[in-house]
Amino acid sequence: MDLVVRDARLHPTGGTRTEPVDVGVEGDRIVAIRPRGGLAGQHTTELEADGRLLSPPLVDPHVHLDAVLTVGEPRHNESGTLIEGILTWAERKRSLTHEDVKERAREAILWEVGQGTGLIRSHVDVCDPNLVALRALLELREELADIVDLRLIAFPQDGILSFPDGKALMREAMRLGCDVIGGIPHYEWTREDGVEEVHFLFELARETGRDIDLHCDETDDEQSRFLEVVAADTIREGMGGRVVAGHTTAMGSYNDAYAFKLLQILKRAGVTIVANPLDNISLQGRFDSYPKRRGMTRVKELDAAGVNVACGHDSIMDPWYPLGRGSMLDALSMLVHVGQMTGRGELFRAFEMVTSNPARAARVEYGVKEGRPANFVVFDCEDEAEAIRLRPAARWVVRAGRLVAETQPAMTVVRHAGSEHRVTFAKREGAPA
Ligand code: FE2
């Protein structure tokens, strides 16, 4: 075979540890999964996983690649608020060039790929008569196709009805080759404009046959209720499984009776919700004194109600969030803390929010199974809960059967009492559970 990974633990369902296996690849497909030792013989490339977790690739369903790595340009967002972020971005946007966007986005993609992300859905601001960022990212999508599946979402940062020629720019973005239709109804000047925007997105979906992935209710205003409009339109248009709503932080402020009703129609509609905990724990609650809201959508309740929930990175060193290193496990770690999903089963469930759940929303062929594309990652840990706790190195990243990234795990030694202690951050073998 072209590639064999020996002694790996597969991403189990429900958190049950599975027996180690050998995974065999020919060309760009997984052709064999056998109990450990089952793929003997000589193979072109052989990797010893030593019981490490072999996971399907991480998925980042929500990032803004046009804005990455612009932190401090032209100035820092000193208040740290969403609005200063938007105003700072409006200034920076004036100096965007084709090469500037490509260079920064390429760098951020390499960071993500090196840490195990194989599918990225990026919003790209189309409130620009020249669509500079979009043209740059469309090129990059092709140039980096060997290492990442990049999907672009036409994102009207300044609104569609509230921005000159907003509808024409959205149509032009789709005509140029954008994959998905974005939106931002809560940012329109009026409630009515927001509702009209949502209807327009579905009209555009009908015209183009494309899916929808909009920013929705990213505010602490409990009166911001565009998600119900999105759910209703999804049902009426028969677009179940093809609509994603990002952020939806207002859901954290709704009263429980309304939230209950909303959960029911979201489930019926088949809308995916993407939480972006890194940005939103920092940006929301800024008008509160104490108690201060957490600024995240109801991840745990949505998941329990049967709604498809995913976790995005959102920002990597941009005007909204100065931190970040493109690690989906960093984002997920924040999600389980903010969303209080630290139960044993909840940690395993949460891992699906950066793997199979966003993959389902993107409607891609996915998962470590015979016959599937040979896309996977071997993490330097034993299972998903450890992946969230340790945020370990992606030892090997394989895409279409090719080893596209590898990381040497760090090694820590502590010198004490005349000897050296190798620290692995693992629970002591044999210690009581
Ligand atoms: Fe976003």
Side-chain angles (χ1 to χ4, degrees):
M1 290 182 193
D2 298 326
L3 169 69
V4 166
V5 183
R6 297 189 201 281
D7 191 11
R9 286 183 199 278
L10 290 192
H11 173 62
T13 49
T16 316
R17 206 51 96 63
T18 50
E19 290 305 308
V21 294
D22 293 348
V23 176
V25 171
E26 268 176 21
D28 61 0
R29 296 270 150 180
I30 295 168
V31 294
I33 299 177
R34 302 277 183 274
R36 178 171 54 189
L39 294 179
Q42 288 282 316
H43 304 285
T44 312
T45 303
E46 301 186 2
L47 304 173
E48 294 297 333
D50 290 327
R52 292 184 179 95
L53 170 69
L54 188 149
S55 162
L58 302 179
V59 179
D60 184 354
H62 186 124
V63 68
H64 296 256
L65 286 175
D66 50 349
V68 293
L69 310 183
T70 59
V71 65
E73 302 169 7
R75 58 195 172 79
H76 285 277
N77 175 353
E78 291 296 347
S79 71
T81 55
L82 178 63
I83 191 66
E84 191 178 339
I86 292 174
L87 296 174
T88 308
W89 173 242
E91 286 177 44
R92 178 60 173 81
K93 201 156 84 169
R94 284 184 224 124
S95 64
L96 283 185
T97 67
H98 192 81
E99 276 315 307
D100 158 45
V101 174
K102 275 182 85 171
E103 229 169 85
R104 288 182 291 101
R106 182 186 292 113
E107 184 65 22
I109 289 170
L110 299 187
W111 294 6
E112 288 222 16
V113 169
Q115 295 175 91
T117 299
L119 167 61
I120 298 176
R121 293 194 6 153
S122 174
H123 295 263
V124 47
D125 187 355
V126 296
C127 290
D128 163 15
N130 301 314
L131 297 171
V132 172
L134 176 62
R135 291 174 204 276
L137 290 176
L138 283 167
E139 271 185 28
L140 206 55
R141 183 180 67 186
E142 307 313 315
E143 288 172 20
L144 297 182
D146 60 331
I147 60 166
V148 72
D149 185 350
L150 176 61
R151 308 284 171 94
L152 300 174
I153 305 164
F155 173 52
Q157 174 78 68
D158 301 317
I160 296 178
L161 282 90
S162 310
F163 190 79
D165 297 322
K167 289 186 179 178
L169 284 168
M170 286 295 289
R171 285 206 166 86
E172 180 63 5
M174 298 315 294
R175 196 189 63 79
L176 285 174
C178 234
D179 301 287
V180 180
I181 299 159
I184 189 164
H186 57 281
Y187 195 73
E188 300 286 359
W189 289 329
T190 67
R191 161 84 198 171
E192 288 70 21
D193 285 352
V195 172
E196 189 182 330
E197 188 206 286
V198 173
H199 294 331
F200 169 74
L201 303 182
F202 281 85
E203 190 184 308
L204 196 52
R206 229 180 294 135
E207 281 172 28
T208 59
R210 297 295 189 172
D211 293 356
I212 293 172
D213 185 339
L214 77 166
H215 283 59
C216 196
D217 302 321
E218 187 182 7
T219 165
D220 291 324
D221 176 9
E222 78 285 0
Q223 300 295 318
S224 185
R225 294 182 172 188
F226 295 101
L227 189 51
E228 64 183 16
V229 184
V230 171
D233 277 10
T234 304
I235 295 169
R236 291 194 184 109
E237 296 286 332
M239 278 188 65
R242 295 179 51 201
V243 176
V244 175
H247 297 287
T248 68
T249 54
M251 204 187 287
S253 298
Y254 296 154
N255 66 71
D256 285 342
Y258 177 67
F260 175 80
K261 174 206 163 189
L262 187 59
L263 284 180
Q264 306 314 306
I265 56 170
L266 282 173
K267 188 185 169 190
R268 179 168 165 204
V271 170
T272 293
I273 301 293
V274 174
N276 296 292
L278 291 173
D279 278 60
N280 287 132
I281 193 69
S282 319
L283 293 171
Q284 307 309 130
R286 292 282 182 154
F287 296 102
D288 295 354
S289 58
Y290 287 92
K292 223 182 241 297
R293 280 170 285 186
R294 287 174 175 248
M296 196 167 77
T297 192
R298 300 191 185 202
V299 169
K300 194 166 170 158
E301 292 76 11
L302 284 159
D303 181 55
V307 175
N308 191 41
V309 183
C311 171
H313 201 297
D314 204 14
S315 289
I316 303 170
M317 301 182 78
D318 70 14
W320 293 274
Y321 182 69
L323 307 173
R325 56 181 186 131
S327 161
M328 290 313 299
L329 296 176
D330 282 355
L332 188 60
S333 170
M334 184 62 77
L335 180 139
V336 301
H337 286 87
V338 179
Q340 299 182 330
M341 291 188 67
T342 48
R344 181 74 181 157
E346 288 173 336
L347 290 171
F348 284 84
R349 198 138 179 87
F351 194 78
E352 296 181 16
M353 295 178 186
V354 293
T355 52
S356 50
N357 290 4
R360 186 178 318 134
R363 302 197 289 147
V364 294
E365 208 184 356
Y366 185 82
V368 179
K369 294 211 170 86
E370 288 181 6
R372 296 276 168 89
N375 300 333
F376 53 80
V377 186
V378 176
F379 285 106
D380 189 27
C381 66
E382 287 194 356
D383 63 30
E384 291 84 339
E386 288 292 87
I388 299 173
R389 183 177 75 88
L390 295 169
R391 287 164 283 144
R395 184 74 189 84
W396 296 295
V397 181
V398 173
R399 176 170 166 79
R402 203 171 64 86
L403 188 57
V404 295
E406 57 187 302
T407 303
Q408 289 293 341
M411 192 180 83
T412 305
V413 173
V414 176
R415 297 189 179 91
H416 165 67
S419 59
E420 291 194 340
H421 300 266
R422 168 105 192 264
V423 179
T424 62
F425 305 98
K427 195 159 164 279
R428 247 179 330 118
E429 281 286 319

